[in-house]
Amino acid sequence: MSKEQMTTTADDAIITVRNLSKYFDDFEALRDITLDVKRSEVLCLIGPSGSGKSTLLRCLNFLEQYDGGEVHLDGELIGWQDISHNPRKPLSGEALRKQRQHIGMVFQHFHLWPHMSALDNVAEALTSVKKLSKKKAKEAAMAALTKVHLEDKAENYPANLSGGQQQRVAIARAIAMEPQVMLFDEPTSALDPELVGEVLSVMKDLAAEGMTMVVVTHEMGFAAHVADRVAFLDSGRLVTCVPPEEMFGREPDDARVRSFLQTYR
Ligand code: ADP
Ligand code: MG
């Protein structure tokens, strides 16, 4: 990264993405993405299927190793050893786990442990990663479940929870770790329509509390009402990143954005 680019980084940015590129073999999944996420900002990522939304999100916590450019979280380079190393070496093991602790992620499918209660699902990483005592972990897990309004379901196993409740447990599990940023990859896409609202409502509360969030979503109502900015991806490129009023409020200039949004009208 050049000095010039460094100095243009906004002071209040918690995530900075600079000239990010990602290939799957010869296929260019992300091209030259430059983007900031500010503290307490909600950034929604929208765009057609296959445009690179999940890949971008996964690069933000190094679930994907990127090929060019840089991602920083709170000034720290994500996923790679010291920037002065050439070629850069990917972080692994404990170092990567430590970095990921600051980033919570919620997926389309909830990935809960089926053999553990809701409470134990949330408490697990608090003991294994954060090294809290069992008692402290359970207290923190209960507080997180209360935040997502599931305190009365703490002893339920995933099989005895609805999809919406399971996703709220997954959100509780992530927020219990007290991350600096939460990433959501289509958190409501696997849910029956009547269960979408309860999950979006919990996400809205989190946003109102000042959590920094990057949300891949097809819920245009959520993006319009909760996002501070909406980014549109197409074929691995960042087409535009603007406030929701601009994205949804008038006829978009870009033909790709126009045709995408038409399918939601
Ligand atoms: P989106 O989330 O916007 O639907 P993705 O980020 O999942 O898009 O995928 C972007 C492109 O990269 C797609 O063309 C997809 O097929 C390709 N891709 C994603 N993951 C892999 C992978 N592990 N191996 C090869 N190609 C992939
Ligand atoms: Mg995706």
Side-chain angles (χ1 to χ4, degrees):
M1 182 189 296
S2 74
K3 275 223 171 86
E4 247 174 326
Q5 282 171 318
M6 284 292 282
T7 53
T8 58
T9 300
D11 285 343
D12 56 350
I14 185 155
I15 297 179
T16 59
V17 180
R18 289 291 172 272
N19 310 107
L20 179 69
S21 69
K22 167 71 189 168
Y23 289 83
F24 293 109
D25 297 320
D26 289 341
F27 177 76
E28 187 181 44
L30 295 176
R31 176 192 277 196
D32 202 23
I33 306 273
T34 289
L35 182 70
D36 284 337
V37 185
K38 301 186 187 84
R39 272 173 223 281
S40 295
E41 184 174 40
V42 178
L43 177 75
C44 282
L45 290 180
I46 64 170
S49 176
S51 57
K53 304 178 299 295
S54 295
T55 305
L56 173 57
L57 214 59
R58 291 164 62 82
C59 286
L60 299 185
N61 68 352
F62 216 62
L63 283 173
E64 293 290 355
Q65 193 170 312
Y66 48 90
D67 298 298
E70 288 178 357
V71 177
H72 289 255
L73 175 72
D74 211 8
E76 194 178 340
L77 183 66
I78 288 286
W80 304 90
Q81 275 176 17
D82 191 329
I83 188 167
S84 61
H85 280 232
N86 194 15
R88 301 181 297 184
K89 283 214 183 79
L91 287 182
S92 58
E94 193 55 30
L96 189 57
R97 255 198 305 282
K98 253 197 161 143
Q99 211 171 51
R100 284 205 185 118
Q101 265 189 51
H102 302 296
I103 307 170
M105 185 141 177
V106 173
F107 302 89
Q108 184 174 347
H109 299 284
F110 330 119
H111 303 295
L112 298 179
W113 298 109
H115 60 288
M116 286 184 188
S117 68
L119 188 72
D120 288 341
N121 263 284
V122 179
E124 203 279 329
L126 295 172
T127 51
S128 68
V129 181
K130 276 213 160 174
K131 309 292 182 201
L132 296 190
S133 69
K134 276 214 165 117
K135 182 165 178 286
K136 282 254 179 308
K138 291 215 166 185
E139 281 168 16
M142 201 60 187
L145 283 176
T146 304
K147 266 199 163 168
V148 301
H149 315 299
L150 283 176
E151 60 277 21
D152 57 335
K153 303 284 182 194
E155 295 310 324
N156 283 41
Y157 283 74
N160 296 322
L161 294 169
S162 73
Q165 291 168 337
Q166 289 183 61
Q167 190 60 303
R168 285 189 281 147
V169 173
I171 293 172
R173 177 178 56 183
I175 60 177
M177 297 292 283
E178 302 184 313
Q180 288 177 278
V181 172
M182 286 279 291
L183 309 176
F184 294 85
D185 195 354
E186 299 197 27
T188 59
S189 293
L191 299 176
D192 292 335
E194 73 271 24
L195 304 177
V196 168
E198 66 189 66
V199 172
L200 293 181
S201 153
V202 160
M203 291 168 63
K204 202 171 163 183
D205 291 347
L206 265 185
E209 281 178 21
M211 176 65 81
T212 307
M213 295 166 46
V214 184
V215 185
V216 174
T217 188
H218 292 282
E219 294 292 332
M220 296 304 149
F222 179 86
H225 293 111
V226 183
D228 296 295
R229 285 185 304 154
V230 184
F232 183 89
L233 257 70
D234 187 65
S235 307
R237 294 168 179 84
L238 182 65
V239 175
T240 180
C241 182
V242 292
E245 307 80 64
E246 228 169 289
M247 182 69 82
F248 303 114
R250 58 180 174 83
E251 196 66 0
D253 296 333
D254 191 284
R256 291 164 293 184
V257 183
R258 217 163 40 233
S259 112
F260 176 78
L261 288 182
Q262 251 158 23
T263 62
Y264 288 89
R265 294 232 162 91

